[in-house]
Amino acid sequence: MNELPLLDDEDISRVLCIVAHPDDMEYGASAAVAKWARAGKQISYLLLTRGEAGIRGMHPDEVAPLRAAEQREACTIVGVDDLEILDFPDGLLEADLELRRAIARKIRQFRPDAVMVTTWRLETPWGLNHVDHRNAGVATIDAIRDADNPWLFTDLEESGLGAWKTGRLLVNGAEPTHAVALDADDVDKGVRSLEAHRVYLEALTDHPVPREMITGITSETGARAGVEYALPVQVISM
């Protein structure tokens, strides 16, 4: 028996991916996005910060547009046209009402069947998790519920953004409950989408080689799920 069941995503037609920074979707999750986009599913990316504090040797005013351009290229590689980057402060993201409202607004606008996030847990397989990742995840959980409650953020309701229930939360980087089956082309696009963050990766002198890292993650998960390649995800019913 396979250790991880394959995710049945036939009934998912719209996926909203919510992360803290440019590049966060590219650590495996973008390979699944490539698969979904190829299948005709509608995908939207919501980045909560511009990642302007992410390169030590460059001023944030220079970094922000550079990272936005790299993210647009990464999105193009995997077939995503809908990219929105908010202006919450990089490194100082807080899971407060302002952030919840911004996420709930996007959920009500896009009306996804599933939302994908990076794990919010403090301890992760790669070490202690960044504060922005933790707060982005927690705020997204709350905002999914907020978006489904017509009595919260009533100004959104009054402006035509009615309540919307998202059925599933897909968590990248957590202890997986399922695997998203991928083919070699999906994995290649996932690798190239991470490689698109060229200047950012060049500033990280100890960063693993993207192809080795993404291929390793998806091959290992594929073996657990009985397929060649797969993305590990935790699936939470909302």
Side-chain angles (χ1 to χ4, degrees), residues 125-136:
W126 58 87
L128 297 179
N129 203 359
H130 192 289
V131 61
D132 285 355
H133 300 163
R134 302 191 325 255
N135 285 335

Side-chain angles (χ1 to χ4, degrees), residues 9-24:
D9 54 18
E10 286 298 317
D11 61 342
I12 296 177
S13 61
R14 300 174 69 82
V15 182
L16 174 59
C17 303
I18 303 172
V19 292
H21 314 110
D23 86 279
D24 285 350

Side-chain angles (χ1 to χ4, degrees), residues 88-140:
F88 288 91
D90 182 17
L92 301 173
L93 197 64
E94 296 184 4
D96 57 14
L97 288 178
E98 184 181 5
L99 183 61
R100 283 168 53 185
R101 184 183 185 280
I103 298 171
R105 169 187 282 277
K106 184 66 175 183
I107 291 171
R108 291 189 181 190
Q109 286 176 333
F110 186 68
R111 301 166 74 86
D113 305 305
V115 166
M116 174 172 269
V117 297
T118 299
T119 182
W120 54 88
R121 290 167 178 79
L122 175 60
E123 295 187 34
T124 71
W126 58 87
L128 297 179
N129 203 359
H130 192 289
V131 61
D132 285 355
H133 300 163
R134 302 191 325 255
N135 285 335
V138 169
T140 297

Side-chain angles (χ1 to χ4, degrees), residues 138-151:
V138 169
T140 297
I141 294 169
D142 293 336
I144 290 172
R145 292 170 172 157
D146 297 340
D148 188 36
N149 189 335
W151 303 114

Side-chain angles (χ1 to χ4, degrees), residues 22 26 55 65-75 193 195-201:
E26 280 67 64
I55 300 178
L66 182 152
R67 297 199 70 189
E70 291 184 336
Q71 184 62 62
R72 282 191 291 271
E73 181 180 348
C75 286
S193 72
E195 291 174 340
H197 297 275
R198 284 177 292 275
V199 177
Y200 176 70
L201 295 182

Side-chain angles (χ1 to χ4, degrees), residues 179-235:
V180 180
L182 306 170
D183 66 18
D185 185 59
D186 301 326
V187 175
D188 179 65
K189 288 178 178 177
V191 169
R192 290 191 289 115
S193 72
L194 178 55
E195 291 174 340
H197 297 275
R198 284 177 292 275
V199 177
Y200 176 70
L201 295 182
E202 286 171 1
L204 303 175
T205 56
D206 59 348
H207 192 279
V209 176
R211 187 162 297 278
E212 293 178 2
M213 179 174 60
I214 301 304
T215 302
I217 291 170
T218 55
S219 296
E220 179 183 340
T221 307
R224 296 175 65 186
V227 295
E228 186 174 8
Y229 301 109
L231 176 74
V233 291
Q234 181 185 22
V235 181

